């Protein structure tokens, strides 16, 4: 189905390509160059198009059209070849307005769903699903989960010793986590109960950041009905999860080795730059964080993003949501600009939907 229909609406357009400015002949030649390049990784020559197409054009006529497309900035001619290949601008034009998307096969959907449905911690399922997406797409798979924003339902305290207590946090999603915290020496069970009751009454339904901000506001306004010990308990109980959240990994990368294949052997410098990009996980995480805005699939192509100016890479990413409808994270792939966009874009869409079901 052409992306001009259903599929085009699934991701954010980043420019207004001059499709209307191209003649039918130019569109046909441009499409064949791009599809040939994405299939082979090599520049496409006029003789190849003349032999394989039904355009009834001579190689000389096709070269003239290619020259026009090159002047528009859509094609480029490498010094080592008489053929043409799409520029990043040309790939953007093709992806946004000309390619035909291919839905994942039943086998591909089953492979992804099998990893999402495996028992165990959510983090393990995300890592396994990312690895499956990497294998199916022949790219490196990525999943980005921002610092976890737990929503409080209840915070209780269980005495362990004179100066230790177990803080038990129950989140709105039903998850339960325990942490041992230091408490003022000789803290009474009544103080523990007072702190727990305050959280349930005043802070339930808030994220950790919101709960801490409200507590600070109420203390500043002297409206926090807590004595000094109970206040310390609440502050430490909230802080331990906030600090833990800051240490959580925010990016999982699987399948880097798939970026080094036979086609990449002639361009090892580019692959090395890409692997270096992946080592700088914080920068990749910042890029994926931009894809969290909205429901659309984002496609970052080559030099459109400064991060990939050297490696000439593309990222296809889509956000996924939790049970409350909030964006939980982003899943996607990274690879060379010569990706099979028509196949991989719907595959990333399907993976995001599968992960969203896991989060329900």
């Amino acid at each position: 189905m052409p992306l001009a229909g259903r599929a085009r609406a699934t991701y954010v357009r980043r420019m207004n390509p001059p499709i209307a400015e191209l003649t039918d002949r130019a569109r046909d030649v441009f499409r064949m160059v791009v599809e040939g390049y994405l299939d082979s990784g090599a520049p496409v020559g006029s003789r190849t198009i003349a032999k394989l197409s039904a355009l009834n054009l001579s190689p000389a006529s096709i070269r003239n059209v290619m020259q026009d497309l090159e002047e528009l900035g859509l094609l480029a001619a490498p010094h080592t070849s008489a053929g043409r290949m799409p520029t990043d601008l040309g790939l953007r034009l093709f992806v946004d307005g000309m390619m035909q998307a291919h839905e994942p096969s039943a086998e591909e959907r089953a492979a992804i769903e099998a990893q999402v449905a495996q028992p165990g911690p959510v983090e393990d399922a995300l890592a396994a699903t990312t690895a499956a997406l990497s294998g199916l797409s022949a790219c490196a798979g990525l999943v980005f989960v921002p610092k976890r924003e737990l929503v409080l339902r209840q915070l209780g305290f269980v005495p362990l010793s004179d100066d230790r207590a177990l803080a038990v946090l129950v989140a709105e999603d039903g998850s339960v986590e325990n942490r041992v915290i230091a408490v003022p020496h000789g803290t009474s069970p009544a103080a523990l109960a007072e702190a727990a009751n305050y959280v349930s009454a005043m802070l339930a339904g808030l994220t950790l950041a919101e709960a801490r901000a409200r507590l600070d506001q109420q203390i500043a306004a002297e409206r926090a009905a807590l004595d000094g010990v109970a206040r310390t308990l609440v502050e430490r109980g909230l802080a331990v999860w906030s600090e833990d959240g800051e240490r959580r990994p925010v990016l999982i990368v699987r399948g880097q080795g798939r970026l080094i294949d036979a086609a990449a052997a002639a361009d090892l410098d580019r692959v090395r730059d890409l692997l270096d990009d992946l080592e700088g996980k914080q920068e990749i995480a910042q890029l994926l964080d931009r894809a969290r805005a909205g429901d659309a699939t984002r496609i970052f192509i080559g030099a459109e993003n400064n991060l990939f100016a050297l490696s000439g890479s593309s990222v296809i990413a889509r956000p996924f949501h939790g049970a409350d409808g909030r964006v939980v994270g982003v899943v996607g792939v990274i690879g060379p600009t010569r990706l099979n966009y028509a196949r991989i874009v719907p595959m990333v869409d399907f993976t995001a939907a599968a992960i969203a079901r896991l989060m329900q």
Side-chain angles (χ1 to χ4, degrees):
M1 179 178 181
L3 241 62
R6 178 197 60 76
R8 181 194 291 182
T10 63
Y11 61 86
V12 174
R13 296 180 52 157
R14 293 174 55 83
M15 60 167 289
N16 295 314
I19 297 176
E21 298 177 13
L22 301 182
T23 65
D24 290 343
R25 175 184 293 184
R27 287 181 194 147
D28 289 339
V29 170
F30 174 70
R31 178 181 54 78
M32 294 196 69
V33 170
V34 175
E35 290 179 346
Y37 171 74
L38 295 180
D39 183 58
S40 67
V44 179
S46 57
R47 291 186 179 277
T48 300
I49 293 179
K51 291 178 181 178
L52 299 179
S53 73
L55 298 179
N56 295 320
L57 296 175
S58 67
S61 296
I62 294 173
R63 281 195 296 274
N64 289 335
V65 175
M66 287 179 166
Q67 181 62 39
D68 293 339
L69 292 168
E70 187 173 350
E71 291 175 359
L72 286 173
L74 301 177
L75 298 182
H79 297 299
T80 57
S81 171
R84 302 296 199 283
M85 57 189 290
T87 61
D88 291 345
L89 179 65
L91 285 174
R92 172 58 61 187
L93 167 63
F94 176 79
V95 167
D96 279 354
M98 301 182 73
M99 81 174 185
Q100 294 183 325
H102 305 293
E103 295 298 329
S105 67
E107 292 78 10
E108 290 168 339
R109 294 196 300 270
I112 293 170
E113 288 177 331
Q115 300 305 320
V116 172
Q118 70 173 353
V122 171
E123 290 79 6
D124 291 350
L126 290 176
T129 303
T130 304
L133 180 60
S134 169
L136 293 171
S137 65
C139 299
L142 308 168
V143 64
F144 169 64
V145 182
K147 297 176 181 65
R148 188 177 179 188
E149 292 186 315
L150 290 172
V151 177
L152 283 168
R153 177 188 298 173
Q154 184 179 345
L155 178 61
F157 300 92
V158 179
L160 297 177
S161 66
D162 284 346
D163 57 359
R164 291 286 186 273
L166 185 68
V168 183
L169 182 144
V170 182
E172 287 288 352
D173 63 4
S175 61
V176 179
E177 296 191 28
N178 304 318
R179 297 290 188 277
V180 176
I181 64 171
V183 300
H185 186 77
T187 297
S188 68
L192 296 175
E194 180 186 358
N197 291 337
Y198 178 84
V199 171
S200 298
M202 304 300 298
L203 306 180
L206 302 178
T207 66
L208 291 174
E210 293 167 344
R212 295 184 76 181
R214 177 171 295 183
L215 178 63
D216 291 342
Q217 291 170 358
Q218 296 216 340
I219 290 174
E222 298 184 350
R223 292 200 302 268
L226 291 167
D227 65 23
V229 173
R231 178 188 302 176
T232 299
L233 288 170
V234 175
E235 290 175 338
R236 292 182 182 178
L238 296 178
V240 69
W241 274 277
S242 298
E243 292 167 2
D244 181 63
E246 292 294 325
R247 294 191 296 267
R248 291 177 185 270
V250 297
L251 180 65
I252 299 172
V253 182
R254 292 291 184 270
Q256 294 96 316
R258 297 184 186 280
L259 301 174
I260 306 175
D261 56 16
D267 196 5
L268 290 180
D269 287 341
R270 182 197 62 76
V271 175
R272 190 177 297 111
D273 287 334
L274 175 52
L275 294 176
D276 287 343
D277 290 340
L278 289 176
E279 287 299 316
K281 289 187 175 183
Q282 189 58 40
E283 291 182 324
I284 296 289
Q286 291 172 358
L287 174 68
L288 293 179
D289 195 39
R290 291 168 52 189
R292 295 180 64 205
D295 296 324
T297 299
R298 297 291 298 269
I299 302 176
F300 303 92
I301 298 177
E304 289 180 350
N305 187 275
N306 292 334
L307 179 60
F308 304 128
L310 294 177
S311 65
S313 307
S314 288
V315 170
I316 301 171
R318 186 178 181 91
F320 53 88
H321 301 76
D324 59 0
R326 296 183 184 182
V327 172
V328 176
V330 179
V331 65
V333 300
I334 182 172
T337 54
R338 187 182 66 83
L339 293 177
N340 187 340
Y341 296 93
R343 176 173 172 266
I344 295 176
V345 169
M347 188 180 296
V348 170
D349 288 349
F350 179 83
T351 303
I355 294 176
R357 290 192 294 272
L358 170 68
M359 298 295 176
Q360 300 304 311

